[in-house]
Amino acid sequence: MELAVGVILEGKVSSIKPFGAFVSLPEGKSGLVHISEIAHTYVSDVAQHLEVGQTVSVKVIGIDESKRINLSIKQTVAPPQSQQSRPAQAPRPRFVQPKEMVHAPLSDSFEDKLKQFMQESESRMSDLKSHMEKRHGSRRRG
């Protein structure tokens, strides 16, 4: 049987490495199932999902110029439904703008918006400078 991309085969796990598992295929060939192609969930340890000698169904997902065969186990099984695979998450908190940053619009013109921005910027910069002077002043005395 000629191997081609997209073909699904049965094979046996011949060795397990930190980056994936090597699978023995028919006709004495073997291929690699990369760790990212083992399961639809995050895989941190290949040995938790596979063991040497285990028979697995694999799909050929690539054959490079050196005739190395790239395989996938997860592409042979249906993905889990998204609601079952993810735990329920609490709603994210909304960003609430501080009161000092809330301003009534002056008008819609660019010049007015720029003027407002410059005033707020100068106010923030003076607050920052006075804060920094207080911090640096306390270090010198100490």
Side-chain angles (χ1 to χ4, degrees), residues 42-53:
Y42 177 74
V43 176
S44 61
D45 183 14
V46 178
Q48 290 179 345
H49 294 267
L50 300 171
E51 57 186 48
V52 175

Side-chain angles (χ1 to χ4, degrees), residues 59-95:
K59 180 178 181 179
V60 178
I61 58 172
I63 301 173
D64 65 12
E65 310 83 41
S66 303
K67 303 292 183 201
R68 290 183 295 196
I69 304 166
N70 298 316
L71 304 169
S72 173
I73 294 173
K74 75 177 183 181
Q75 291 186 26
T76 63
V77 294
Q81 294 196 3
S82 61
Q83 292 179 350
Q84 292 176 352
S85 64
R86 293 184 183 170
Q89 294 181 352
R92 298 177 94 175
R94 288 186 9 218
F95 174 74

Side-chain angles (χ1 to χ4, degrees), residues 99-113:
K99 289 182 180 179
E100 64 269 7
M101 295 180 72
V102 177
H103 300 283
L106 296 174
S107 73
D108 292 329
S109 75
F110 175 76
E111 288 80 17
D112 290 337
K113 289 181 181 180

Side-chain angles (χ1 to χ4, degrees), residues 11-14 16 23 46 49-57 73:
K12 280 195 176 190
V13 177
S14 58
I16 294 177
V23 177
V46 178
H49 294 267
L50 300 171
E51 57 186 48
V52 175
Q54 178 181 353
T55 301
V56 292
S57 180
I73 294 173

